[in-house]
Amino acid sequence: MPEVRSSGHSPLRAHLGTATVAQTSKSAVSRVSKPAKRVISNAMPTWKSATQQVWKPALRTGAAGRMVTIPRCAPPLATRHSSLPFVLVNMAMTADGKIATANRAISSFGSRRDREHLLELRATADAVMAGARTVDSAKINLGPGPAKYRRLRINRGLDEYNLRVIISGSGSLNPEAEVFQRRFSPIIILTTRRAGERGLKKLRALADDLIVCGEREIDFQTALKWLREKWEIKRLLCEGGGELNGALFRAGLVDELHLTICPKMFGGREAPTIVEGSGIPKLADATQLKLKSMRRIGSELFLVYDVQRRPS
Ligand SMILES: NC(=O)c1ccc[n+]([C@@H]2O[C@H](COP(=O)([O-])OP(=O)(O)OC[C@H]3O[C@@H](n4cnc5c(N)ncnc54)[C@H](OP(=O)(O)O)[C@@H]3O)[C@@H](O)[C@H]2O)c1
């Protein structure tokens, strides 16, 4: 069993009505614990730790500052009845299978509809996850986007702002990256011992919570269990890049793949694809997918695959 070290202490849990909220006591103050839920306002909030927030079960502040009860009538989202989150991967790729150009200068090439699709998917997830090279190569904040998507989240019983999970085995993250400039929801960093003490210190300054989970590579089975247990993440949306996706597929942890095929070709041997890494040596090792839905909008194809789980 690999070592799991989290910078946060376990939050104390208390039950208020039907809802569960993480509380911290003075003696068990972690840098962060799962925040109290569902406070909606028109302004982009600065996220505060659970110790600073007020718990309002089933009540939220409406647009005019009035308290309203929001019915939970949206259809149920797919989750897993297990100790792990349901993992979705969402990627846009060119017709020749690339997710960026070889020089990594271009990685956003989908249509407006594809961008909406990304935000719609984020609006179904407790947390959005990305690898180090994705968050430091583009101006992305991994957030829920405009108010209409945040309202969708609330109607589904999710927090207004999704959690953000960032992966860096060596601690190579760029503190200037856009994602760290917008503190509207907790940022959780998963890393390994490879980061070393100096790296960990740097990561702690960027993260609201951090877990060391593995020696050189992240042990995702353990990390995802921890995310479900401590942060109550039931649906986790992974937005790449290829290296992170590769690790999740290899570990057999992906449940659903959303793929947008865009009418472009990049070429380039070094241009990344949706799944990077060493690849498989034989056909029998291939990840099996089952096409669940397919939509054509303009010249783009929106595909959804179920990932067939291998017996573990
Ligand atoms: N078209 C799309 O839909 C789309 C989506 C996302 C990204 N992209 C593009 O894809 C490119 C990035 O993809 P990428 O494959 O190069 O990078 P990536 O997966 O975003 O990030 C790779 C980094 O993540 C960390 N990492 C990943 N798996 C790990 C593991 N198992 N254990 C420990 N650390 C792990 C490592 O960070 P450390 O080096 O810190 O250890 C690694 O260098 C960018 O150009 C991005 O813009 C395109």
Side-chain angles (χ1 to χ4, degrees), residues 92 99 104 107 133-134 168-170 172 217-218 239 241-244:
I99 61 166
R104 313 286 166 113
S107 59
R133 297 295 78 78
T134 294
S168 170
S170 71
S172 69
E217 295 294 306
I218 285 162
E239 295 188 355
E243 191 176 332
L244 170 58

Side-chain angles (χ1 to χ4, degrees), residues 99-171:
I99 61 166
T101 49
N103 64 3
R104 313 286 166 113
I106 296 164
S107 59
S108 179
F109 47 84
S111 65
R112 214 176 94 190
R113 183 66 200 101
D114 182 50
R115 170 81 190 150
E116 285 164 5
H117 176 60
L118 174 141
L119 292 172
E120 281 159 11
L121 269 183
R122 283 186 188 174
T124 71
D126 299 293
V128 177
M129 176 163 81
R133 297 295 78 78
T134 294
V135 296
D136 64 17
S137 67
K139 273 200 155 221
I140 52 170
N141 65 38
L142 304 179
K148 79 169 184 180
Y149 297 103
R150 306 204 309 268
R151 274 196 295 275
L152 260 178
R153 297 183 60 79
I154 303 257
N155 287 342
R156 289 178 171 136
L158 298 171
D159 289 339
E160 184 184 357
Y161 288 84
N162 57 269
L163 299 166
R164 296 170 292 168
V165 180
I166 298 173
I167 310 302
S168 170
S170 71

Side-chain angles (χ1 to χ4, degrees), residues 142-274:
L142 304 179
K148 79 169 184 180
Y149 297 103
R150 306 204 309 268
R151 274 196 295 275
L152 260 178
R153 297 183 60 79
I154 303 257
N155 287 342
R156 289 178 171 136
L158 298 171
D159 289 339
E160 184 184 357
Y161 288 84
N162 57 269
L163 299 166
R164 296 170 292 168
V165 180
I166 298 173
I167 310 302
S168 170
S170 71
S172 69
L173 289 166
N174 175 8
E176 304 301 319
E178 172 79 4
V179 72
F180 300 117
Q181 315 312 314
R182 310 290 299 275
R183 310 305 295 202
F184 51 80
S185 72
I187 293 180
I188 304 162
I189 296 181
L190 311 185
T191 189
T192 67
R193 276 180 174 278
R194 209 153 37 96
E197 273 318 308
R198 252 182 87 194
L200 286 178
K201 196 172 161 201
K202 177 182 123 185
L203 294 180
R204 279 192 196 104
L206 293 174
D208 295 293
D209 200 1
L210 172 142
I211 184 169
V212 178
C213 195
E215 286 295 321
R216 299 197 59 75
E217 295 294 306
I218 285 162
D219 170 359
F220 278 106
Q221 181 85 22
T222 306
L224 264 49
K225 250 186 202 158
W226 176 83
L227 286 174
R228 171 112 192 209
E229 213 174 282
K230 179 166 180 187
W231 286 91
E232 296 168 19
I233 296 175
K234 294 199 184 81
R235 278 175 64 93
L236 175 63
L237 172 62
C238 176
E239 295 188 355
E243 191 176 332
L244 170 58
N245 294 343
L248 289 173
F249 275 106
R250 274 196 305 282
L253 291 167
V254 181
D255 294 278
E256 205 169 85
L257 171 65
H258 291 247
L259 194 57
T260 307
I261 304 181
C262 304
K264 291 190 170 39
M265 300 238 269
F266 287 167
R269 228 181 264 278
E270 303 302 322
T273 67
I274 65 167

